[in-house]
């Protein structure tokens, strides 16, 4: 147990209040996050013998080293906090939504005197009208381009009517895609009529638009104005393209999401159909992790909590394949986020049930299509990590940390720390180090400093399963020496390269281990080594570039960061500054005659 933590005693202290609990492993890693209406009752249940709990939970319980909890005012607050903590920590034993997407909207700024039509990633309470969400950003951009051609609606950031008459009309006016209200070429009333027509179009009134365009096309053709007729023909095709995929469904103009799923072994795909104003706008599919022992109801509840915590639009109604146990709580939470009532319904018959069937069929199609791809990715990542653990005789190799040094003849030495978790790069855990105590090209002493800083820094609260050194015996021994001094016991492995600087094998426990070039573990180690090298080189180049600029310009009396920036913005290149005349230097913003003289003299004296 954690020092001073007695589970039996801590269970007695638990309050009978709502809140969130966090289960920790011995490494301090958070392995599960849950919510409870009664913390004492819920957390205590994990430490009592309960039948039919499932092997996944039973395994998790054996790993619990200690727990902590956060009391909330209500179960609704606990639900929100649980969502946030799961998203932040990705606990191993929580069912997780793999996808993290945001869906685009079309925004019409009707609160402005001369409204604009814009692309938006979030729906805000700013008085604008939002349409969506759409499953394709391309479709939104195509639609914006179309409505500019149809109605001449502006997309610029000018403040109208205050800036009317300022400047000249933009290119969109020349292209007949904007009515140029910025120049007063259209009255507010006439522009308002165009906005009304735009809103009708976005609300689904496509037939009227197509009829009007067809009439204009025929008029132009009858007048032998074939180029203009062709423009209207192309607009008609654009309208049909943008609106053609919007299948109309029954049951009126309600907004709803239809949610169903497909499962096979450990894999689960959740399919969501987006129905807006009675029209099917699109569908999306999501892969779920750690679902092996969860019921359909549990997976559905987890999906709703994680997906709708991140999407900006929430419909009036959710149709779900399985009943959700906490549907009343979820309805309250969704209603607060939406700002209006939300219903969660599990239809058993009728048109709504047929929509569920359609979503389920699509989920099975995606699952069948992606299963092989998923298996290949698992082999490439998790499988490779497990293969490495077996090669080294370790219980696991889930978290790997690789280190590399970069310098040019000892100049500005830097180091990189790259992290792979279960075979995948975890870039938000990468770290870079600028060497403080070592001067000159001494990779061993540089690595000693970096490793000491990494394993004595309290901000690094997770240790790796294996330390991967970029090199052989020498670098491994440096790492083992640092760990011994710090009384840490972490396996250290060297990534050995051949004469062509390609990964050849691993150095571990005074032996070199080779592996087949076509194996998944070989691919993972190569990616890890290349990534550590790339990250170090990139950081070194950045510092070297900054230093080069500093050494040339900042040594000139009177030139600080602001004047250096002004010089570089004006001349673009150092050589142009060197060759500039006094008059040219004085033209730079902030450069006085005296400073210009200092710069001119400095470069002539070199």
């Amino acid at each position: 147990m954690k020092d001073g933590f007695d589970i039996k005693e801590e269970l007695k202290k638990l309050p009978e209040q709502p809140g969130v609990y966090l289960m920790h492993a011995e490494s301090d890693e958070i392995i599960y996050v849950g919510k409870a209406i009664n913390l004492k009752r819920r957390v205590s249940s994990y430490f009592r013998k309960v039948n039919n709990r499932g092997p996944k939970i039973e395994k998790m319980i054996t790993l619990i080293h200690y727990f902590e909890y956060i009391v909330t005012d209500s179960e609704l607050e606990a639900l929100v906090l649980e969502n946030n903590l799961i998203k932040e920590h990705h606990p191993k034993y929580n069912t997780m939504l793999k996808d993290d997407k945001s869906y685009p909207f079309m925004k019409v700024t009707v609160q402005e005197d001369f409204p604009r039509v814009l692309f938006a990633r979030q729906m805000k309470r700013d008085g604008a009208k939002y349409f969506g969400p759409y499953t394709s950003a391309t479709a939104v951009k195509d639609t914006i381009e179309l409505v500019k051609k149809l109605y001449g609606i502006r997309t610029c950031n000018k403040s109208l009517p205050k800036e009317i008459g300022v400047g000249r009309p933009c290119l969109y006016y020349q292209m007949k895609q904007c009515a140029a209200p910025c120049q007063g070429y259209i009255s507010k009333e006439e522009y308002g009529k165009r906005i009304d027509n735009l809103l009708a179009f976005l609300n689904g009134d496509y037939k009227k638009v197509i009829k009007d365009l067809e009439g204009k096309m025929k008029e132009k053709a009858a007048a032998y104005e074939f180029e203009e007729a062709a423009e209207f023909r192309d607009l008609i095709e654009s309208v049909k393209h943008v609106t053609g995929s919007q299948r109309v469904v029954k049951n009126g103009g309600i907004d709803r999401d239809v949610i169903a799923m497909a499962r096979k072994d450990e894999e689960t795909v959740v399919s969501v159909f987006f129905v807006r104003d009675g029209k099917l706008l699109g569908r999306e599919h999501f892969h779920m992790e750690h679902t092996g022992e969860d019921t359909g109801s549990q997976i559905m509840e987890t999906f709703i909590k994680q997906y709708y915590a991140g999407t900006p639009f929430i419909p009036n109604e959710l149709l779900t394949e399985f009943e959700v146990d906490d549907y009343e709580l979820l309805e309250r939470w969704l209603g607060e986020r939406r700002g209006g009532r939300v219903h969660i319904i599990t239809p058993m018959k009728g048109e709504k049930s047929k929509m569920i069937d359609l979503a389920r069929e699509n989920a099975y199609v995606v699952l069948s299509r992606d299963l092989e791809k998923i298996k290949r990715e698992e082999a490439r990542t998790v499988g490779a990590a497990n293969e490495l653990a077996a090669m080294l005789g370790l219980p696991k190799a889930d978290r790997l940390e690789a280190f590399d040094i970069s310098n040019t003849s000892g100049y500005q030495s830097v180091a990189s720390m790259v992290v792979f978790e279960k075979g995948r790069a975890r870039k938000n855990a990468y770290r870079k180090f600028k060497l403080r105590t070592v001067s000159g090209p001494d990779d061993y002493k540089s690595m000693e400093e970096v490793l000491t800083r990494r394993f004595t820094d309290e901000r690094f609260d997770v240790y790796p399963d294996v330390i991967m050194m970029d090199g052989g015996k020498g670098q491994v021994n440096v790492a083992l020496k640092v760990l011994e001094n710090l009384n840490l016991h972490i396996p250290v492995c060297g990534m050995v390269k051949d004469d062509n600087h390609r990964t050849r094998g691993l150095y571990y426990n005074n032996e070199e281990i080779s592996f087949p070039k076509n194996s998944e573990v070989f691919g993972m180690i190569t990616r890890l080594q290349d990534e550590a090298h790339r990250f170090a080189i990139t950081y070194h180049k950045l510092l070297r570039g900054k230093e080069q600029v500093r050494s040339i310009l900042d040594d000139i009396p009177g030139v600080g960061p602001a004047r250096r920036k002004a010089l570089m913005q004006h001349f673009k290149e150092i050589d142009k500054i060197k060759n500039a005349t006094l008059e040219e230097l004085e033209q730079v913003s902030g450069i006085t005659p005296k400073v210009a003289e200092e710069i001119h003299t400095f470069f002539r004296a070199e």
Side-chain angles (χ1 to χ4, degrees):
M1 294 299 141
K2 184 181 180 182
D3 292 345
F5 192 93
D6 186 322
I7 284 184
K8 288 185 179 179
E9 289 301 314
E10 294 301 324
L11 288 174
K12 294 176 184 177
K13 300 175 186 176
L14 281 165
E16 295 189 12
Q17 292 174 254
V20 173
Y21 55 92
L22 300 89
M23 301 299 193
H24 289 262
E26 188 172 5
S27 62
D28 290 334
E29 175 191 4
I30 296 171
I31 57 175
Y32 189 78
V33 174
K35 69 170 177 61
I37 193 168
N38 184 315
L39 281 166
K40 189 178 190 70
R41 191 183 311 138
R42 183 74 183 100
V43 177
S44 298
S45 70
Y46 285 96
F47 303 96
R48 293 196 297 265
K49 288 199 173 183
V50 178
N51 294 326
N52 302 321
R53 195 150 43 185
K56 183 175 89 168
I57 298 300
E58 291 292 349
K59 172 66 175 174
M60 181 197 81
I61 291 169
T62 64
L63 299 175
I64 296 174
H65 197 64
Y66 66 97
F67 61 81
E68 56 181 321
Y69 59 90
I70 303 167
V71 174
T72 60
D73 288 335
S74 67
E75 191 182 7
L76 186 60
E77 280 189 20
L79 185 149
V80 174
L81 180 58
E82 177 197 33
N83 262 339
N84 292 337
L85 291 172
I86 289 173
K87 193 170 184 179
E88 179 181 355
H89 296 290
H90 293 83
K92 181 178 180 180
Y93 287 93
N94 280 97
T95 298
M96 293 296 299
L97 173 63
K98 283 187 181 180
D99 308 71
D100 187 16
K101 302 176 181 176
S102 63
Y103 293 92
F105 293 81
M106 205 174 320
K107 174 180 178 179
V108 183
T109 59
V110 293
Q111 76 276 24
E112 297 177 340
D113 288 331
F114 290 88
R116 296 169 292 157
V117 57
L118 305 169
F119 179 98
R121 279 286 179 189
Q122 290 184 329
M123 193 167 90
K124 301 177 180 178
R125 295 183 181 179
D126 53 5
K129 282 189 178 294
Y130 288 83
F131 296 86
Y134 298 91
T135 56
S136 167
T138 302
V140 176
K141 291 171 184 175
D142 287 347
T143 305
I144 290 174
E145 287 301 310
L146 173 62
V147 298
K148 285 195 303 186
K149 294 174 184 176
L150 287 174
Y151 305 109
I153 305 300
R154 73 185 185 105
T155 57
C156 66
N157 292 324
K158 283 193 174 181
S159 177
L160 303 183
K162 186 172 69 175
E163 294 184 47
I164 287 179
V166 176
R168 295 179 295 176
C170 67
L171 185 60
Y172 286 116
Y173 172 72
Q174 307 295 336
M175 295 166 61
K176 300 180 182 177
Q177 292 186 22
C178 180
C182 62
Q183 299 300 309
Y185 293 168
I186 184 172
S187 68
K188 181 178 176 181
E189 291 71 27
E190 183 58 34
Y191 191 86
K193 290 178 183 177
R194 295 191 180 203
I195 291 295
D196 290 340
N197 290 333
L198 163 66
L199 295 175
F201 173 78
L202 294 178
N203 278 314
D205 189 3
Y206 312 126
K207 290 182 181 179
K208 182 179 181 301
V209 173
I210 293 175
K211 185 178 178 180
D212 290 345
L213 290 173
E214 285 176 343
K216 291 176 181 177
M217 179 181 68
K218 289 174 183 176
E219 285 177 14
K220 295 295 182 182
Y224 301 105
E225 296 175 1
F226 298 116
E227 287 189 11
E228 289 84 349
E231 289 179 5
F232 285 113
R233 179 203 63 202
D234 293 342
L235 279 176
I236 291 167
E237 289 304 312
S238 294
V239 172
K240 289 179 178 178
H241 172 72
V242 166
T243 63
S245 63
Q246 297 188 340
R247 167 184 165 187
V248 177
V249 298
K250 296 181 182 178
N251 297 318
I254 197 168
D255 293 337
R256 67 163 58 95
D257 287 354
V258 184
I259 311 170
M261 55 187 270
R263 307 180 70 178
K264 185 174 181 181
D265 301 326
E266 292 291 315
E267 300 301 329
T268 300
V269 169
V270 175
S271 180
V272 184
F273 277 33
F274 305 107
V275 179
R276 299 293 178 264
D277 196 28
K279 288 171 279 295
L280 179 59
L281 288 187
R283 61 178 182 261
E284 195 58 76
H285 308 287
F286 304 87
H287 289 278
M288 304 287 288
E289 293 182 310
H290 315 317
T291 61
E293 296 171 27
D294 292 346
T295 64
S297 177
Q298 289 170 331
I299 294 171
M300 199 65 59
E301 180 177 332
T302 298
F303 174 81
I304 289 171
K305 289 192 290 187
Q306 294 185 23
Y307 174 67
Y308 291 102
T311 186
F313 181 83
I314 296 172
N316 314 73
E317 191 173 274
L318 305 186
L319 302 186
T320 62
E321 180 183 4
F322 296 96
E323 289 187 1
V324 178
D325 291 338
D326 277 347
Y327 79 92
E328 290 180 342
L329 176 65
L330 288 176
E331 284 182 344
R332 282 170 47 210
W333 171 62
L334 292 169
E336 286 193 3
R337 293 206 69 239
R338 181 178 182 273
R341 188 72 186 272
V342 176
H343 298 279
I344 301 175
I345 301 168
T346 306
M348 308 311 308
K349 58 183 180 179
E351 200 64 34
K352 292 181 179 181
S353 179
K354 290 178 182 177
M355 290 292 293
I356 290 287
D357 293 341
L358 185 61
R360 186 192 305 112
E361 287 171 18
N362 275 266
Y364 274 108
V365 169
V366 172
L367 182 62
S368 300
R369 183 192 69 200
D370 290 355
L371 207 52
E372 284 304 314
K373 178 182 172 184
I374 292 167
K375 286 180 179 177
R376 287 196 302 272
E377 181 63 16
E378 289 293 308
R380 182 175 174 270
T381 55
V382 177
N386 292 338
E387 193 178 342
L388 176 64
M391 284 175 57
L392 303 180
L394 300 173
K396 63 175 183 173
D398 288 347
R399 182 181 171 103
L400 308 177
E401 291 184 4
F403 297 83
D404 191 20
I405 302 292
S406 177
N407 63 61
T408 302
S409 301
Y411 169 83
Q412 197 72 281
S413 292
V414 300
S416 67
M417 181 186 101
V418 165
V419 179
F420 272 32
E421 287 193 347
K422 295 187 176 179
R424 292 182 177 89
R426 190 182 171 196
K427 295 195 175 183
N428 63 347
Y430 286 14
R431 295 293 183 269
K432 49 198 176 192
F433 302 84
K434 188 175 178 182
L435 273 295
R436 298 171 181 168
T437 63
V438 181
S439 60
D442 192 331
D443 283 358
Y444 288 168
K445 283 193 176 297
S446 297
M447 190 59 73
E448 185 176 349
E449 177 192 325
V450 168
L451 291 172
T452 302
R453 284 166 58 186
R454 185 265 178 261
F455 289 106
T456 55
D457 190 333
E458 293 181 355
R459 291 173 296 177
F460 293 102
D461 56 353
V462 179
Y463 284 168
D465 297 313
V466 187
I467 297 171
M468 307 295 291
M469 305 300 296
D470 186 51
K473 184 176 180 180
Q475 292 284 22
V476 169
N477 286 338
V478 170
L480 290 172
K481 175 186 172 185
V482 170
L483 294 174
E484 183 181 1
N485 291 339
L486 298 175
N487 197 28
L488 294 174
H489 305 284
I490 301 171
V492 181
C493 200
M495 298 180 287
V496 184
K497 291 187 177 182
D498 60 21
D499 294 337
N500 296 318
H501 211 63
R502 294 172 182 162
T503 306
R504 182 181 75 204
L506 300 175
Y507 182 81
Y508 182 64
N509 282 348
N510 296 317
E511 292 182 9
E512 185 171 318
I513 305 170
S514 60
F515 35 60
K517 294 293 174 67
N518 60 351
S519 66
E520 297 293 355
V521 68
F522 173 78
M524 181 185 70
I525 296 299
T526 301
R527 293 193 303 275
L528 178 67
Q529 193 168 28
D530 290 346
E531 186 71 347
H533 188 61
R534 178 200 65 78
F535 194 53
I537 288 290
T538 302
Y539 183 42
H540 186 254
K541 283 181 178 177
L542 174 69
L543 292 181
R544 195 168 67 230
K546 287 181 178 178
E547 181 66 17
Q548 284 171 345
V549 173
R550 187 213 66 78
S551 63
I552 294 171
L553 297 180
D554 285 2
D555 288 342
I556 304 172
V559 176
R563 283 175 172 157
R564 180 187 69 200
K565 182 178 179 181
L567 286 164
M568 290 304 296
Q569 285 179 340
H570 185 88
F571 290 102
K572 309 300 182 187
E573 299 174 10
I574 291 290
D575 285 343
K576 289 183 179 179
I577 300 174
K578 287 181 179 180
N579 298 323
T581 64
L582 273 172
E583 292 76 14
E584 288 171 334
L585 289 168
E586 288 176 10
Q587 290 175 11
V588 179
S589 174
I591 303 297
T592 64
K594 182 180 178 182
V595 174
E597 180 68 38
E598 291 282 6
I599 298 169
H600 194 263
T601 303
F602 178 86
F603 285 120
R604 299 305 176 279
E606 279 193 327

